[in-house]
Amino acid sequence: MDALDIARWQFGITTVYHFLFVPLTIGMAFIVAALQTAWVRTGNEKWLRLTKFYGKLFLINFAMGVVTGIVQEFQFGMNWSTYSRFVGDIFGAPLAIEALLAFFLESTFLGLWIFGWDRLPKRIHLACIWAAAIGTLLSAYFILAANSFMQHPVGFTYNAERGRAELTDFGAVLTNKVALVTFPHTIAGAFMTAGALVCAVAVWHLIRRPGVDTAPFRSALKIGAWTTLAGLAAVTISGDIQGKIMTDVQPMKMAAAEALYDTEQPASFSILTIGTLDGSEEVWAIKIPNLLSWLATGTWDGEVQGINDLQKEYEITYGPGDYKPNIPVAYWTFRLMIGFGIVAGLIALWALWAIRRGRAPTSKLLLWSAIALPLLPLAANSAGWIFTEMGRQPWIVFSQLFTAAGVSPGTSTAEVVTSLTVFTLLYGGLAVVEVGLLLHFIRKGLPDVSAPPVDEEGEDRPLAFAY
């Protein structure tokens, strides 16, 4: 492999790893805020204990997301300097706003929330976690607006003399139709992921520790399971809209997602397709008639362009070259994304069924399923982003800049291998720390908030330091 291949591997590994924490951070911020709201409104200690318990898990995840996000930024200047130069004028505004407004908003108010227990009035303290949660949404939108430019470039002109895109309409970048549909799809996935974690932890405690904090964890299970199901429904609806927009702006990506080699009208949805080893043609498939036409065009008899026809069209438009993405990767990540999400929803339904009418869950199979539950939406999110980025290839900015042209010209293969090795080892170490901390606090169970913690000298100290 050359420097380009290794740089792509490094970017993929670090980005997927970072995005394990992003959806959990977004979703958990709102769930913790909702739990604290319930406590402030009712005064029921159950909600306070759940707030502080799941708040610990949220804070650990937030810290890991910040660390991995900082490391990820190094790649732009190191491995992708040509790409950074090309999109710098476009990305500068949304990413600067994300850092200076959204991230400062969430980090500042999160700090107030952490250290404001028993120091701030209840409602002001509650407002802090809501402000932090809203900050995570703003961060997500500005970052997705930048990514959406890579999928569907708008609001710019190309400066041939400088060899870069230059911003002409910031509003167009922020209201890119790809961003407008990707944002709700991503946020729905975040709520689904966070709900799955809340539900899974509650199931584990109810089965492994029956009779201990049963009432709080039953409530947590219901909140987590219903959040997972609501997230799944929102992901499905927004994903349907996103598929139609994707077909409009990147028809090759939709064709690759279905391994559709020849244009069809109406087009069938492939449940399973076996193609040649080089991914050039279909050998055998199981299909649902007309479904792909609906997914791509919104009509049951719509035309969906095939890979071979789009390849010919792109050669005429952009010149000679191979404009097909990796078909097997696009095909299977699309299906894994859907499959993992559906299985997570089924487990959430099972958990709700297990506690119906006051019943206590006892199934060992449910316990093991609950352990897998939070991993499923994470895997679905990762598969979705791999599909989004791999399906755009060979472009790094669709129709404007090839991936091969975006890599740093002076970076050697040895340098990229070294950075990949260092980052992989670093992320491996961080993963051990993350898992260890999460398991420690999960096993510890709900905190006792009946009295303030006491330090070694016997003096009361703020509940903030209970974290």
Side-chain angles (χ1 to χ4, degrees):
M1 292 191 292
D2 58 14
L4 170 63
D5 294 325
I6 301 171
R8 290 181 65 190
W9 271 104
Q10 178 174 302
F11 197 89
I13 291 170
T14 54
T15 301
V16 168
Y17 189 85
H18 173 62
F19 201 74
L20 295 177
F21 307 105
V22 172
L24 276 172
T25 296
I26 296 171
M28 287 296 292
F30 281 91
I31 290 178
V32 171
L35 292 171
Q36 186 171 348
T37 300
W39 171 61
V40 171
R41 289 178 63 86
T42 66
N44 190 330
E45 188 179 274
K46 170 182 73 173
W47 299 116
L48 175 60
R49 298 179 71 198
L50 288 173
T51 299
K52 298 184 78 63
F53 174 73
Y54 284 107
K56 294 186 182 79
L57 308 187
F58 161 63
L59 291 174
I60 293 168
N61 191 77
F62 180 88
M64 291 294 293
V66 172
V67 172
T68 55
I70 292 173
V71 172
Q72 187 184 15
E73 294 177 1
F74 296 156
Q75 300 175 92
F76 289 107
M78 182 174 64
N79 293 344
W80 300 97
S81 61
T82 303
Y83 161 73
S84 298
R85 188 181 306 110
F86 183 86
V87 299
D89 196 58
I90 309 296
F91 285 11
L95 295 186
I97 294 173
E98 187 275 331
L100 297 176
L101 173 63
F103 182 71
F104 279 13
L105 176 69
E106 58 188 281
S107 57
T108 298
F109 282 99
L110 188 60
L112 289 171
W113 184 74
I114 294 171
F115 297 105
W117 289 97
D118 292 345
R119 293 178 173 177
L120 295 174
K122 276 186 180 181
R123 294 188 181 277
I124 293 178
H125 185 256
L126 174 62
C128 289
I129 187 62
W130 278 109
I134 292 170
T136 65
L137 285 185
L138 293 174
S139 287
Y141 191 84
F142 288 117
I143 291 172
L144 289 173
N147 179 268
S148 296
F149 179 84
M150 298 166 63
Q151 315 297 335
H152 179 51
V154 295
F156 78 104
T157 58
Y158 176 68
N159 187 322
E161 182 180 348
R162 296 187 176 185
R164 67 172 190 169
E166 295 185 347
L167 183 65
T168 59
D169 188 347
F170 185 51
V173 173
L174 292 183
T175 57
N176 187 336
K177 61 182 177 180
V178 174
L180 293 178
V181 70
T182 301
F183 177 71
H185 190 65
T186 303
I187 299 306
F191 276 91
M192 185 177 176
T193 304
L197 176 64
V198 171
C199 178
V201 172
V203 169
W204 186 86
H205 274 276
L206 290 172
I207 294 179
R208 291 294 300 270
R209 297 176 176 177
V212 179
D213 294 322
T214 299
F217 279 118
R218 285 182 68 88
S219 298
L221 188 156
K222 293 176 183 178
I223 292 170
W226 282 115
T227 301
T228 302
L229 293 172
L232 177 58
V235 162
T236 302
I237 295 169
S238 59
D240 176 62
I241 300 170
Q242 189 177 34
K244 294 170 175 57
I245 292 177
M246 179 180 69
T247 304
D248 179 40
V249 300
Q250 292 186 58
M252 181 65 86
K253 185 183 289 186
M254 176 56 84
E258 294 304 318
L260 182 69
Y261 290 91
D262 298 311
T263 300
E264 292 184 7
Q265 184 181 13
S268 302
F269 178 84
S270 166
I271 297 178
L272 174 64
T273 293
I274 298 175
T276 57
L277 292 177
D278 61 359
S280 62
E281 60 180 330
E282 174 188 308
V283 175
W284 179 82
I286 301 174
K287 298 183 177 183
I288 301 176
N290 297 56
L291 182 56
L292 180 56
S293 288
W294 167 260
L295 294 174
T297 68
T299 62
W300 293 104
D301 60 350
E303 179 183 274
V304 182
Q305 290 179 283
I307 295 168
N308 296 331
D309 295 312
L310 286 167
Q311 170 66 27
K312 295 175 183 177
E313 179 183 317
Y314 287 0
E315 286 180 355
I316 295 172
T317 305
Y318 306 114
D322 184 1
Y323 296 94
K324 300 187 296 292
N326 188 311
I327 306 302
V329 169
Y331 180 87
W332 286 110
T333 51
F334 188 70
R335 275 145 190 79
L336 289 173
M337 172 186 67
I338 297 171
F340 287 140
I342 292 174
V343 174
L346 292 175
I347 294 174
L349 278 174
W350 185 8
L352 288 172
W353 178 257
I355 63 168
R356 70 194 187 281
R357 298 177 182 175
R359 289 177 172 83
T362 57
S363 170
K364 288 186 177 180
L365 182 58
L366 176 59
L367 175 63
W368 285 105
S369 298
I371 293 173
L373 176 57
L375 303 179
L376 292 169
L378 287 174
N381 287 326
S382 297
W385 275 111
I386 291 171
F387 165 70
T388 297
E389 300 303 305
M390 290 290 288
R392 191 188 59 244
Q393 302 303 316
W395 305 99
I396 194 169
V397 179
F398 184 73
S399 77
Q400 300 296 318
L401 183 67
F402 289 111
T403 302
V407 72
S408 299
T411 303
S412 68
T413 301
E415 289 171 335
V416 185
V417 168
T418 300
S419 62
L420 173 61
T421 302
V422 170
F423 284 154
T424 301
L425 292 175
L426 174 63
Y427 279 3
L430 289 173
V432 173
V433 173
E434 161 87 359
V435 172
L437 287 172
L438 288 177
L439 291 179
H440 168 73
F441 285 112
I442 289 172
R443 289 171 177 167
K444 199 172 180 181
L446 296 182
D448 182 7
V449 296
S450 57
V454 178
D455 62 20
E456 294 180 357
E457 281 125 20
E459 296 181 358
D460 291 349
R461 57 189 172 92
L463 285 174
F465 295 98
Y467 283 106

